[in-house]
Amino acid sequence: MDFSVLRNLISRYCAGEEYWVDSRTIYIGHKEPPPGTEAYILQRYPDNRIVSSKYTLWNFIPKNLFEQFRRIANFYFLLIFLVQLIIDTPTSPVTSGLPLFFVITVTAIKQGYEDWLRHKADCSINECPADVVQQGAVVRTESHKIRVGDVVMVREDETFPCDLILLSSSRDDGTCYVTTASLDGESSHKTYYAVPDTMAFISEQEVDSLHATIECEQPQSDLYKFVGRINIYKDQEEPIARPLGAENLLLRGATLKNTEHIYGVSIYTGMDTKMALNYQSKSQKRSAVEKSMNAFLIVYLCMLISKAVINTALKYTWQWSSDHDEPWYNHRTEIDRERHVVIRAFTDFLAFMVLFNYIIPVSMYVTVEMQKFLGSYFIAWDTDMYDEDLGEGAQVNTSDLNEELGQVEYVFTDKTGTLTENCMEFIECCVDGHIYIPHAICNGQILSAASSIDMIDSSPGGYRRDHEDLFFRALCLCHTVQVKEEETVMGIKMGIHQCRPTSFYISSSPDEVALVEGMKRLGYTYLRLKDGHMEILNKDDEIERFELLHVLNFDPVRRRMSVIVKSSAGDYLLFCKGADSSILPRVVSGKVEQVRARVEQNAVEGLRTLCVAYRSLSSVEYEEACHQLSDAKLALQDREQRLAQAYDIIERDFTLLGATAVEDRLQEKAADTIESLHKAGIKVWVLTGDKMETAAATCYASKLFRRSTQILELTKKRTEEQSLHEVLFDLKRTVLRERSVLGLSVECQDYGLIIDGATLSAVLKPGPESLGSGNYRDIFLEICRNCSAVLCCRMAPLQKAQIVKLIKASKEHPITLAIGDGANDVSMILEAHVGIGIMGKEGRQAARNSDYAIPKFKHLKKILLVHGHFYYIRIAELVQYFFYKNVCFIFPQFLYQFFCGFSQQPLYDTAYLTLYNISFTSLPILIYSLIEKHVSIETLKRDPSLYRDVAKNSLLRWPVFLYWTCLGLFDASIFFFGAYFLFDNTTFTSKGQMFGNWTFGTLIFTVLVFTVTLKLALDTHHWTWINHFVIWGSLLFYVIFSLLWGGIIWPFLNYQRMYYVFMQMLSSGPAWLGIILLITLSLLPDVLKKVLCRTVCPTATERAQRVRADGVSAGSLSPGPGPVPGGADERDMLFPAGTCGDRECGGRARVATDVEKQPQGRRAELTRVSSHLSGSSDKWRSTDSGHSHLRVMEPLPLCRSEPFPQKLLLGQLADEGRADLCIRSPYKLRLSGAGFVYCTPGPETSV
């Protein structure tokens, strides 16, 4: 049940706000408004203290204990401990209380230390100095003393202490520059604006004289939304109302840059600031391993209850005879005789529960927590995932999902900034169908190298020249780019102007920077925004000034932005740029078809396109637009909706000018990463808001789609031609018919699905009555399951989350992972089982809200295929091992009851019961779960298919769990009955003394400790000095402890039943022999099982282990496909279109071979390769399959524009300098993703 609403109401009532409203009124400088204007209502607001800590000194113990005992296992052991205190039980309360106390204490210390660090950080923030204007002077105070309404002064490079409305700045235009890197990761300088009526206040006295109030919305977490207005009182006149928006709000945590100082009024303080509201914890995610662990725990709890019930029933069956009920040596008291049999039976049941309760591993939870917490550092410390450009490595925001990285079945990825670099390069622009390419034109003049391209004329005239100028001016004016000027020797126009300042463009949008820089190369340079005027340098070297009147900001719904400017001639112009789908329907004139054709062609090539249009406004139309915008901006309620309506009215009746094309390059190794994920059995879906053509081109470049992939379209265009019902069933029949025809013996056709946002909305709606609700959804899922890759384009952020949720809820319940870099990806990151954020150029919203953050998409390969694989193997072994060793521990106690008349006699000493899980067996499995590597990192990266071995929680399935449990029962039976038959012959010590029951129990416990520890040693593949230290050190510690525990008379013990027991056992030769034999017999079945399985039906992982153990040469020729020789650092060979000049091979033989033609235009490099020959033969030893491994040695450059040659210089083949080589010729080379070369047979030919 969610009590958040009730909690908010209580907190508001306790704060004195009985009448809660949706807005707040702030009195600047705490000055009352003039009489008769409005009522003065004093409101209470929190102070500026930041509290991120969870506990205080007074509530730490009760609050922490309450949270820990909410965990079922801890609460269960607390009940057991209380039972031991209340009734007479066979074991001391210490045996349950001490382990429970250890677990609770360790967890409390860890959480207390973390909270102490938070307290320390809070104090350092709250005690930071701040400047407040009071009575016309600046007063130095501490940050936490700032109140709502205070006027605060902030200097350059200082951090804003609270959320402020900018009143004035040291700059003449009333602006200031701010970086919000600590909030959203954007390092670029953002411009904020003061209210025009207050921007002239430059001194403390002037600011202190301000008489005004601010009405604004209540605090909310969105960093980019703010609605308010300021009412300024002057003499007895009516107050002047000005709108306030996000461009006026300076957020706590942001830093002032390139501005000497600013004055602002605090409106949100302390925990009401947007920064604090964004630090709220995310919903808790649970891993599949944790769910399996809880299920296994329930099984063992049922086993515990069953054992207690069986022993209780057998005890009373045994005592049915009077001789057994009251033997001569153990008469019952009168109180026992008078107690009712039901009460006695219940008491005995509880006593057996206490005796057998150690089958529930209480220390497993704390060990798992420590393993996850410590193991997460290996991701942060991984130098392979460190990015030099960012200066950052991978980050772990939650350690609870480490093992889930090894179980991913679906990856949902964004495109822009995730698969691509989000580093835009201006490629071309199109004006009325004519193409302009920056690299081929400079300042309006055609370069000699560009004569074959359709270019702008050097002296165009008339209509075309006017449109050309308007287009270039539109791109120089329609943006939010900032200019930072520095003196350099380079000119504003490279090679033409000298000794002028060079403009550096900064913007939160890389697209805008690319467009402005592209215009600069085409002859139109944006200079700056000064005094409300935008200045541009045209290609005639003249500065043009335009007054910036209004900016209609971009939003993802409109998918466009506009500016209204006034030229020096007095003309009002509206320039607009945006997606073709949002611009073209609003165009009434222009060469639409020519521009549309070029846009579609560029989209097919994978370029990002924008359309540019304009509209000339009359004075009347401008005044009407101003009135609509002013009314919408002053509204406190529904401001966004009213602005959207105003924008919709203003942005229409355009004249189309042209379009632009910007290239977003594919990230490094993005294609290799996707290919590796496919080999690992992971399905990759791309969810993007881009056009279908652009996204599809990126999918082909990243190898999500291959040339052989048959594309299935489920788009709005197709559903307009056919009904959605028909399209869905046609696609279903296509994929299912192909599968039924080909069967399982032949490779099935590779399908790829493309769906757009509009069609997805229709699919997710309930179907017709004839189909029943949800049938479209099931059909869609069936189609997707039979496709190797899916592209979802034109997706809204909410639709991305709906797609992830749809797959999560399917009948297979697969583990999903979402990865993205922008704020629009946060919803799907939070929805997926595992969310990964890219530290990209669109801010850090995704990284902040994710479970893990990585610098680049290529790092996804290692974090899944290596770290995820290792984490799952380790924690699966940890969980199964804990249950196994506890079965081995407690089952002999259960068997012992059959030989002691079910008298609840303990088999082990109290010290052994207490320390078994805490000291004797806990450290080896913890270290194993941190550093075990069953195969090498290079093998996992080279062979992604090994990921399939651990997929679908394979190591924690019920058959595996039952095997471990049966193995524990078998080993426990060996311990008990082996020792029993050894004692059956009345074993004596060297002095003729007989062994007693404590020696019997100690013998079993010794065999137990050594067996479970050596079992872990046999399972260890990666040995380090740490493994040796903890494994052999744990065994040594047990021996030393037993010698000390039984060899010294401890004064704090009332009785010492273990005195000299361990030494007496070790003094017996038969005991030594029995221990060795029982350990061997216990370990033998598991060893035999592993040997048989590895021989008869080895897994891919076991085959990899065998190859590693046998030391097979990586360079030897193999009869079939295999890993690329040379390890994971060697890249797959690519033979794209291009050529290389004839190069000398250092005196070695050169071999020219026929190579299959590759698609034109691919960027890559030809590599010089050398074969790895097995043995020292002078011949190239080939196999029947014709596969030869070639190792990448040296890259050779290729020219992109030249035709693909029929002959390529393939490589150097030599054996210790000999030129007498034989190869098969002619043969063709084909390239596989794993890096093999497949050769067709041919006769041997001497070279």
Side-chain angles (χ1 to χ4, degrees):
M1 182 178 179
D2 187 9
F3 293 97
S4 59
V5 176
L6 180 61
R7 191 184 305 115
N8 289 335
L9 290 175
I10 293 174
S11 64
R12 293 166 184 171
Y13 180 80
C14 294
E17 301 177 32
E18 300 180 21
Y19 301 98
W20 185 261
V21 293
D22 292 332
S23 63
R24 59 168 60 182
T25 301
I26 295 131
Y27 303 95
I28 298 179
H30 309 287
K31 297 177 182 178
E32 298 181 18
T37 54
E38 60 182 61
Y40 177 69
I41 303 174
L42 182 63
Q43 298 181 6
R44 297 182 182 178
Y45 302 110
D47 60 17
N48 200 35
R49 196 183 308 273
I50 287 291
V51 180
S52 63
S53 57
K54 192 175 183 179
Y55 307 106
T56 64
L57 185 63
W58 311 109
N59 70 7
F60 173 71
I61 293 178
K63 190 173 182 179
N64 186 266
L65 289 178
F66 173 75
E67 291 178 348
Q68 290 206 57
F69 284 117
R70 289 170 66 184
R71 177 172 284 175
I72 296 177
N74 291 344
F75 184 70
Y76 162 77
F77 275 94
L78 177 64
L79 292 179
I80 293 294
F81 176 66
L82 295 176
V83 168
Q84 289 179 294
L85 292 176
I86 296 171
I87 67 172
D88 184 19
T89 56
T91 58
S92 168
V94 175
T95 58
S96 294
L98 188 59
L100 179 63
F101 176 77
F102 172 77
V103 171
I104 296 296
T105 303
V106 169
T107 306
I109 291 173
K110 171 180 171 288
Q111 294 177 352
Y113 174 71
E114 292 174 349
D115 203 63
W116 176 76
L117 293 178
R118 288 191 286 266
H119 270 283
K120 190 176 178 181
D122 291 345
C123 288
S124 64
I125 293 174
N126 294 329
E127 295 175 0
C128 283
D131 295 327
V132 178
V133 177
Q134 295 179 355
Q135 298 179 354
V138 176
V139 179
R140 198 76 164 175
T141 185
E142 292 182 345
S143 175
H144 67 89
K145 295 182 180 179
I146 296 176
R147 296 181 299 159
V148 171
D150 284 346
V151 176
V152 181
M153 177 182 178
V154 181
R155 295 179 173 84
E156 186 175 3
D157 293 328
E158 288 184 353
T159 301
F160 301 118
C162 56
D163 290 351
L164 305 169
I165 290 295
L166 179 60
L167 296 177
S168 65
S169 77
S170 58
R171 301 175 66 92
D172 296 335
D173 56 1
T175 61
C176 69
Y177 296 108
V178 172
T179 59
T180 57
S182 61
L183 296 174
D184 57 13
E186 296 182 17
S187 58
S188 59
H189 293 188
K190 298 179 180 178
T191 307
Y192 289 82
Y193 303 90
V195 179
D197 301 83
T198 64
M199 60 183 289
F201 297 161
I202 59 175
S203 66
E204 294 84 1
Q205 293 78 15
E206 290 176 329
V207 173
D208 191 56
S209 66
L210 177 63
H211 220 70
T213 61
I214 292 177
E215 297 175 76
C216 62
E217 61 186 358
Q218 293 293 349
Q220 50 108 352
S221 59
D222 195 323
L223 297 175
Y224 309 102
K225 290 183 181 179
F226 175 73
V227 175
R229 65 169 172 251
I230 183 171
N231 301 308
I232 303 171
Y233 303 96
K234 293 183 178 179
D235 299 328
Q236 299 298 324
E237 301 176 2
E238 286 292 323
I240 301 173
R242 301 296 185 194
L244 298 175
E247 68 277 4
N248 309 113
L249 180 64
L250 306 174
L251 300 179
R252 177 172 190 154
T255 305
L256 184 65
K257 294 290 185 181
N258 293 341
T259 308
E260 185 178 339
H261 66 266
I262 63 99
Y263 294 101
V265 57
S266 60
I267 59 169
Y268 302 133
T269 55
M271 301 307 293
D272 280 350
T273 58
K274 290 181 179 289
M275 182 189 74
L277 294 175
N278 273 275
Y279 285 164
Q280 295 177 353
S281 59
K282 304 183 290 291
S283 60
Q284 188 71 21
K285 295 181 180 180
R286 295 175 60 206
S287 68
V289 170
E290 187 178 349
K291 296 174 184 177
S292 299
M293 213 163 63
N294 292 337
F296 297 160
L297 196 64
I298 293 174
V299 171
Y300 272 61
L301 187 60
C302 294
M303 291 173 59
L304 171 62
I305 296 173
S306 302
K307 287 181 179 181
V309 170
I310 291 171
N311 276 266
T312 303
L314 292 176
K315 177 179 180 178
Y316 283 87
T317 303
W318 168 263
Q319 292 179 353
W320 190 259
S321 171
S322 57
D323 295 337
H324 294 160
D325 187 22
E326 286 190 76
W328 59 270
Y329 55 85
N330 189 19
H331 288 282
R332 285 191 296 176
T333 63
E334 289 297 328
I335 298 177
D336 290 336
R337 290 192 181 98
E338 292 174 359
R339 289 169 65 189
H340 195 276
V341 64
V342 176
I343 297 177
R344 283 190 287 134
F346 181 70
T347 304
D348 287 330
F349 170 76
L350 292 179
F352 280 116
M353 287 282 290
V354 170
L355 186 64
F356 300 139
N357 84 88
Y358 303 98
I359 196 173
I360 306 296
V362 62
S363 60
M364 179 178 67
Y365 284 97
V366 70
T367 306
V368 167
E369 280 194 5
M370 292 175 66
Q371 190 269 347
K372 290 183 176 182
F373 175 72
L374 297 175
S376 63
Y377 283 99
F378 289 107
I379 293 179
W381 292 339
D382 193 336
T383 55
D384 289 344
M385 292 194 289
Y386 181 83
D387 186 74
E388 296 289 346
D389 297 334
L390 292 175
E392 293 184 82
Q395 296 176 2
V396 180
N397 298 328
T398 175
S399 60
D400 295 334
L401 303 172
N402 292 343
E403 64 278 5
E404 205 82 331
L405 294 170
Q407 295 297 293
V408 174
E409 299 173 57
Y410 282 82
V411 169
F412 299 93
T413 175
D414 180 38
K415 184 185 77 71
T416 305
T418 304
L419 288 178
T420 61
E421 291 183 352
N422 202 15
C423 182
M424 309 301 175
E425 179 185 356
F426 184 81
I427 301 299
E428 67 171 44
C429 59
C430 169
V431 182
D432 292 339
H434 300 278
I435 313 303
Y436 300 76
I437 300 178
H439 299 288
I441 184 171
C442 182
N443 200 27
Q445 301 299 319
I446 303 174
L447 300 182
S448 58
S451 57
S452 61
I453 307 177
D454 181 12
M455 286 291 154
I456 179 176
D457 293 335
S458 58
S459 57
Y463 174 82
R464 182 175 166 188
R465 176 60 183 265
D466 293 340
H467 266 215
E468 171 200 323
D469 292 339
L470 275 174
F471 178 85
F472 291 152
R473 289 190 182 100
L475 290 178
C476 285
L477 298 172
C478 188
H479 57 73
T480 57
V481 170
Q482 302 169 25
V483 179
K484 181 180 179 182
E485 297 182 350
E486 296 179 357
E487 293 294 334
T488 67
V489 296
M490 301 297 294
I492 242 174
K493 307 277 292 174
M494 185 177 296
I496 297 179
H497 302 287
Q498 299 295 331
C499 302
R500 285 197 180 185
T502 298
S503 299
F504 295 92
Y505 301 118
I506 303 171
S507 175
S508 58
S509 170
D511 295 79
E512 288 195 330
V513 174
L515 292 175
V516 173
E517 288 181 344
M519 293 303 100
K520 179 180 176 181
R521 294 197 297 271
L522 285 170
Y524 281 78
T525 304
Y526 171 62
L527 298 177
R528 60 181 175 176
L529 172 65
K530 183 180 180 181
D531 300 330
H533 288 75
M534 303 180 78
E535 298 179 357
I536 62 175
L537 183 72
N538 62 26
K539 58 188 177 183
D540 297 325
D541 204 16
E542 299 173 349
I543 294 179
E544 301 179 4
R545 288 171 57 89
F546 293 84
E547 183 181 357
L548 180 61
L549 301 174
H550 292 283
V551 177
L552 282 59
N553 290 315
F554 174 86
D555 65 70
V557 178
R558 287 167 45 242
R559 296 177 63 83
R560 60 183 180 271
M561 76 158 291
S562 302
V563 293
I564 300 178
V565 297
K566 183 179 180 181
S567 68
S568 56
D571 299 326
Y572 294 99
L573 298 172
L574 169 66
F575 292 115
C576 183
K577 70 179 180 185
D580 57 318
S581 59
S582 66
I583 297 291
L584 296 181
R586 296 175 176 270
V587 169
V588 294
S589 63
K591 297 186 178 181
V592 178
E593 293 306 319
Q594 293 93 323
V595 173
R596 190 198 304 272
R598 191 63 188 178
V599 166
E600 292 177 353
Q601 180 180 346
N602 286 332
V604 169
E605 295 178 3
L607 302 178
R608 296 165 62 88
T609 58
L610 288 176
C611 289
V612 182
Y614 89 104
R615 174 188 173 193
S616 181
L617 301 176
S618 65
S619 299
V620 176
E621 290 174 328
Y622 170 70
E623 293 297 332
E624 184 180 353
C626 285
H627 180 71
Q628 293 170 344
L629 292 173
S630 178
D631 289 346
K633 289 180 178 179
L634 285 174
L636 287 181
Q637 302 294 331
D638 302 324
R639 177 182 290 186
E640 292 183 4
Q641 290 83 348
R642 297 183 64 174
L643 278 174
Q645 293 172 2
Y647 292 163
D648 184 66
I649 295 173
I650 297 170
E651 295 173 327
R652 59 178 56 187
D653 300 333
F654 286 135
T655 298
L656 185 63
L657 294 174
T660 63
V662 175
E663 182 183 23
D664 188 5
R665 293 188 295 270
L666 205 64
Q667 278 201 17
E668 179 189 5
K669 296 185 179 179
D672 173 68
T673 301
I674 288 181
E675 191 171 19
S676 297
L677 295 180
H678 279 156
K679 292 177 185 176
I682 300 173
K683 290 190 174 183
V684 182
W685 290 29
V686 174
L687 313 181
T688 179
D690 276 356
K691 293 182 286 295
M692 184 183 79
E693 296 82 5
T694 305
T698 303
C699 289
Y700 277 110
S702 62
K703 297 184 181 178
L704 185 73
F705 293 157
R706 299 183 179 275
R707 298 300 169 187
S708 60
T709 302
Q710 181 177 340
I711 302 300
L712 309 175
E713 290 188 14
L714 186 56
T715 58
K716 183 179 179 181
K717 180 179 179 181
R718 183 171 179 184
T719 53
E720 288 175 350
E721 299 171 357
Q722 294 177 270
S723 67
L724 178 62
H725 177 84
E726 294 175 351
V727 173
L728 282 172
F729 276 88
D730 284 347
L731 295 179
K732 181 180 178 181
R733 281 193 294 268
T734 300
V735 296
L736 295 183
R737 180 177 64 249
E738 185 73 24
R739 187 173 62 177
S740 62
V741 169
L742 292 176
L744 299 177
S745 59
V746 183
E747 184 179 356
C748 295
Q749 172 67 47
D750 189 21
Y751 288 106
L753 177 67
I754 299 178
I755 183 172
D756 57 18
T759 311
L760 178 66
S761 299
V763 168
L764 296 182
K765 288 180 181 179
E769 293 182 2
S770 59
L771 286 174
S773 178
N775 257 23
Y776 282 167
R777 186 180 308 221
D778 296 336
I779 297 171
F780 173 68
L781 286 175
E782 183 68 23
I783 296 170
C784 292
R785 273 194 291 266
N786 289 278
C787 293
S788 60
V790 177
L791 167 62
C792 303
C793 52
R794 297 293 192 184
M795 289 282 119
L798 186 59
Q799 287 182 311
K800 294 183 178 182
Q802 289 176 337
I803 284 282
V804 176
K805 188 175 182 179
L806 180 67
I807 298 300
K808 279 175 62 180
S810 60
K811 61 182 180 181
E812 296 89 359
H813 298 290
I815 303 299
T816 58
L817 180 147
I819 180 170
D821 73 315
N824 59 335
D825 303 316
V826 170
S827 55
M828 74 169 180
I829 285 174
L830 295 177
E831 182 63 43
H833 292 96
V834 182
I836 295 184
I838 300 286
M839 302 172 190
K841 299 180 180 179
E842 293 186 10
R844 295 294 174 93
Q845 299 97 316
R848 285 201 334 266
N849 289 277
S850 63
D851 304 304
Y852 303 88
I854 56 178
K856 293 288 189 294
F857 182 78
K858 65 179 180 179
H859 300 135
L860 183 65
K861 177 179 178 179
K862 187 168 187 182
I863 202 173
L864 289 185
L865 304 187
V866 178
H867 288 290
H869 194 114
F870 281 153
Y871 283 138
Y872 178 74
I873 291 284
R874 293 164 180 169
I875 202 166
E877 178 87 8
L878 184 151
V879 172
Q880 300 282 26
Y881 178 80
F882 253 99
F883 285 112
Y884 158 78
K885 72 185 183 72
N886 278 40
V887 168
C888 292
F889 178 47
I890 213 63
F891 192 64
Q893 178 72 71
F894 173 74
L895 296 175
Y896 186 57
Q897 297 305 304
F898 289 86
F899 295 87
C900 65
F902 307 100
S903 61
Q904 302 158 8
Q905 169 66 33
L907 178 62
Y908 312 117
D909 179 63
T910 301
Y912 291 157
L913 288 171
T914 305
L915 299 178
Y916 175 72
N917 279 317
I918 294 178
S919 300
F920 298 148
T921 59
S922 59
L923 197 56
I925 183 59
L926 176 61
I927 298 301
Y928 174 94
S929 64
L930 288 174
I931 64 176
E932 166 63 4
K933 297 178 183 176
H934 59 297
V935 291
S936 66
I937 294 176
E938 291 75 17
T939 302
L940 289 177
K941 290 196 292 186
R942 189 170 61 243
D943 190 1
S945 63
L946 297 178
Y947 192 85
R948 299 171 184 257
D949 280 0
V950 299
K952 298 186 181 297
N953 205 16
S954 60
L955 300 183
L956 287 175
R957 290 179 181 171
W958 288 107
V960 182
F961 168 72
L962 292 176
Y963 167 76
W964 279 86
T965 301
C966 293
L967 182 63
L969 294 174
F970 173 82
D971 289 348
S973 301
I974 293 291
F975 304 158
F976 183 83
F977 289 109
Y980 175 77
F981 288 119
L982 181 66
F983 274 65
D984 189 49
N985 294 323
T986 315
T987 302
F988 292 89
T989 64
S990 58
K991 296 182 180 180
Q993 295 175 324
M994 296 178 60
F995 283 167
N997 66 313
W998 293 117
T999 309
F1000 177 70
T1002 302
L1003 178 66
I1004 293 176
F1005 191 81
T1006 302
V1007 176
L1008 163 68
V1009 171
F1010 273 79
T1011 299
V1012 297
T1013 305
L1014 293 176
K1015 168 74 168 70
L1016 189 64
L1018 289 175
D1019 288 345
T1020 301
H1021 298 91
H1022 181 66
W1023 282 91
T1024 65
W1025 67 268
I1026 304 177
N1027 298 84
H1028 287 288
F1029 178 78
V1030 296
I1031 288 178
W1032 314 123
S1034 294
L1035 297 177
L1036 184 61
F1037 172 75
Y1038 164 69
V1039 174
I1040 294 175
F1041 173 83
S1042 299
L1043 290 172
L1044 294 177
W1045 182 246
I1048 299 175
I1049 298 178
W1050 300 98
F1052 55 83
L1053 296 177
N1054 296 328
Y1055 59 92
Q1056 196 162 344
R1057 56 196 178 193
M1058 291 297 292
Y1059 181 68
Y1060 212 67
V1061 169
F1062 194 73
M1063 283 76 76
Q1064 188 183 43
M1065 182 190 72
L1066 294 183
S1067 65
S1068 172
W1072 279 90
L1073 179 62
I1075 290 172
I1076 296 172
L1077 286 176
L1078 293 179
I1079 292 174
T1080 305
L1081 285 175
S1082 301
L1083 295 175
L1084 188 60
D1086 190 49
V1087 173
L1088 292 176
K1089 177 255 179 186
K1090 289 182 178 178
V1091 171
L1092 288 175
C1093 289
R1094 287 171 179 267
T1095 305
V1096 178
C1097 53
T1099 63
T1101 301
E1102 290 168 345
R1103 286 194 294 268
Q1105 291 170 346
R1106 183 186 302 174
V1107 169
R1108 181 186 178 191
D1110 294 343
V1112 175
S1113 172
S1116 62
L1117 294 176
S1118 65
V1124 179
D1129 293 334
E1130 296 171 359
R1131 301 179 181 178
D1132 295 344
M1133 292 172 288
L1134 297 175
F1135 295 81
T1139 185
C1140 64
D1142 191 9
R1143 296 186 55 171
E1144 293 298 324
C1145 297
R1148 296 191 176 187
R1150 293 179 294 168
V1151 182
T1153 59
D1154 291 331
V1155 181
E1156 287 186 338
K1157 290 186 178 181
Q1158 301 293 318
Q1160 293 288 336
R1162 291 180 57 188
R1163 296 184 176 182
E1165 59 184 11
L1166 178 65
T1167 53
R1168 179 175 300 179
V1169 296
S1170 114
S1171 66
H1172 291 260
L1173 304 178
S1174 59
S1176 58
S1177 172
D1178 292 341
K1179 300 290 185 179
W1180 183 346
R1181 296 178 179 176
S1182 60
T1183 59
D1184 292 338
S1185 62
H1187 298 166
S1188 301
H1189 295 294
L1190 299 179
R1191 179 177 178 182
V1192 176
M1193 297 297 291
E1194 177 184 353
L1196 299 177
L1198 286 175
C1199 302
R1200 179 180 180 184
S1201 59
E1202 296 183 49
F1204 190 87
Q1206 288 297 108
K1207 298 286 185 178
L1208 283 178
L1209 177 64
L1210 174 62
Q1212 304 167 251
L1213 301 174
D1215 186 10
E1216 299 179 356
R1218 302 183 184 182
D1220 183 16
L1221 300 174
C1222 287
I1223 65 168
R1224 290 175 292 167
S1225 177
Y1227 63 92
K1228 290 189 177 182
L1229 299 179
R1230 296 184 180 92
L1231 306 177
S1232 74
F1236 300 103
V1237 181
Y1238 295 80
C1239 311
T1240 58
E1244 290 190 353
T1245 305
S1246 298
V1247 179

